[in-house]
Amino acid sequence: MSWIFEPWPWYVAGPLIALVMFSLLMADKNFGMSSNLRTLCTICGAGHKVDFFKIDWKAQQWNLLVVLGTIIGGFIGSELLSNDTAVLINPQTVVELKAMGFQSAGSSYLPTEIFATSVLRDLKSLVIMALGGLLIGFGTRYAGGCTSGHAISGLSNLQWPSLIAVIGFFIGGLFMVNVIFPLIFSL
Amino acid sequence: MKNLAYLFIGVIFGITMFKSEAASWFRIFEMFQFQSFHMYGIIGSALLTGVIGIQLIKRFNIKSFSGHSIVIPPKTISVSRYIYGGIIFGLGWALAGACPGPMFTLLGAGFGTIGVVILFSILGTFLYGLVKDKLPH
């Protein structure tokens, strides 16, 4: 059983994600995490200002429970099921990240240069997190789904719109990592 | 009882996201640099399992637990909203290194600062709602 404390290989994780999707389908629901961001807007009262948020959030309660479970799962995964949470990425990637100023590459789960609590006083890290969040929230709703709704659910059902969206995900991601990162992380 | 089931499904999802390192900023960076098969293996094997399962559901007309037909609602036909929206999300996915599922996993794993990403993603969704009628769909 010691394997469970090691990072899980892709061929375990992938089918488990599909299992999550099938479990929700069997319960007459759909796998889509970004819809929760809309529901959270509605709960915060956005429906009074914008019609797009005039939805019955109670009908989405089940998905908020999935979110709550996802939070609990993160706790279990890191606190109970891990000995060491350092992510051993490709050594070549580590070299490149260190050259960009990410000294935590290869020895932590998230780059401390962006996510450590101490960086809350650092404007650059705050801007990176805030801008990243804005783009995620805006883009997923515009595209009508994120990785779970399009890349997993939509593509599993062979829906063309999802393929277009996933191509978009990669255009955006490749542009960010190859064009924008060298600009913002070498300053 | 049903609520417990949703919670449990979320727990499995959260553990999987954390333990497979799909919630790691480093893995997302590595993926967009094409320097590892790991993330492609995760998405690819999820998809392969998903496609086969959906085909079986359709072929054998498998019903949900409540006896209803299983439907994944078709998406509206468009190119612009998926490509523009997709690109905007992709930029954020690479920058913050998390998507709308894993960011909650990270919160549970004790990375409190991811809360900034979560708050601003809610704000981003609100901004979309505010301007959506002016955007090409």
Side-chain angles (χ1 to χ4, degrees):
Chain A
M1 281 296 280
S2 66
W3 60 270
I4 208 161
F5 297 98
E6 303 294 321
W8 293 1
W10 57 266
Y11 50 82
V12 171
L16 274 173
I17 295 169
L19 181 72
V20 166
M21 176 183 74
F22 286 125
S23 307
L24 290 171
L25 286 175
M26 290 303 287
D28 304 302
K29 306 294 183 214
N30 282 283
F31 184 35
M33 295 304 289
S34 62
S35 316
N36 292 303
L37 300 174
R38 183 187 185 182
T39 311
L40 289 169
C41 283
T42 301
I43 290 175
C44 292
H48 298 299
K49 251 182 112 65
V50 185
D51 283 350
F52 181 64
F53 300 106
K54 271 187 193 148
I55 51 171
D56 175 21
W57 69 268
K58 290 210 170 85
Q60 297 297 316
Q61 231 169 351
W62 67 271
N63 214 351
L64 295 177
L65 283 164
V66 176
V67 169
L68 183 61
T70 307
I71 297 174
I72 297 169
F75 175 82
I76 296 174
S78 72
E79 303 302 318
L80 308 177
L81 296 178
S82 298
N83 294 325
D84 179 7
T85 58
V87 176
L88 302 178
I89 46 174
N90 186 333
Q92 178 62 34
T93 316
V94 173
V95 171
E96 289 174 20
L97 280 167
K98 288 200 169 165
M100 284 164 58
F102 289 97
Q103 296 307 317
S104 61
S107 55
S108 63
Y109 197 88
L110 291 186
T112 51
E113 291 80 1
I114 300 178
F115 294 101
T117 321
S118 55
V119 301
L120 283 178
R121 273 170 274 133
D122 176 30
L123 188 64
K124 190 172 168 183
S125 302
L126 272 180
V127 169
I128 287 171
M129 289 191 284
L131 192 62
L134 280 177
L135 292 165
I136 291 169
F138 192 98
T140 50
R141 212 63 273 123
Y142 192 0
C146 59
T147 332
S148 52
H150 277 309
I152 309 293
S153 292
L155 284 186
S156 286
N157 197 29
L158 308 174
Q159 292 174 337
W160 285 110
S162 293
L163 184 63
I164 302 170
V166 173
I167 291 170
F169 297 171
F170 273 85
I171 296 173
L174 289 171
F175 187 81
M176 177 57 72
V177 162
N178 292 291
V179 180
I180 311 215
F181 272 18
L183 297 175
I184 52 178
F185 291 124
S186 56
L187 299 176
Chain B
M1 189 57 215
K2 246 191 148 178
N3 284 346
L4 264 179
Y6 297 131
L7 194 68
F8 181 73
I9 293 170
V11 170
I12 298 294
F13 180 55
I15 294 176
T16 306
M17 287 295 101
F18 188 87
K19 289 303 299 178
S20 68
E21 300 173 339
S24 167
W25 186 99
F26 291 121
R27 284 291 185 197
I28 307 302
F29 178 82
E30 186 190 46
M31 169 182 79
F32 283 127
Q33 294 282 40
F34 299 108
Q35 285 171 330
S36 170
F37 177 72
H38 186 74
M39 287 301 301
Y40 296 100
I42 293 177
I43 298 172
S45 60
L47 256 181
L48 185 70
T49 320
V51 169
I52 293 171
I54 299 285
Q55 289 305 314
L56 290 175
I57 286 172
K58 285 182 176 167
R59 178 131 336 154
F60 297 103
N61 197 17
I62 296 171
K63 302 282 191 227
S64 71
F65 292 128
S66 67
H68 292 91
S69 293
I70 289 176
V71 271
I72 296 182
K75 309 268 193 305
T76 49
I77 300 299
S78 159
V79 172
S80 49
R81 76 171 291 185
Y82 299 115
I83 202 78
Y84 296 143
I87 289 173
I88 295 169
F89 166 60
L91 290 166
W93 187 16
L95 186 60
C99 38
M103 58 193 194
F104 291 104
T105 302
L106 291 170
L107 191 65
F111 298 100
T113 48
I114 201 73
V116 178
V117 177
I118 296 175
L119 280 178
F120 276 87
S121 68
I122 297 170
L123 185 63
T125 297
F126 177 70
L127 290 178
Y128 167 75
L130 216 51
V131 299
K132 79 180 267 282
D133 295 333
K134 300 189 183 76
L135 300 170
H137 276 80

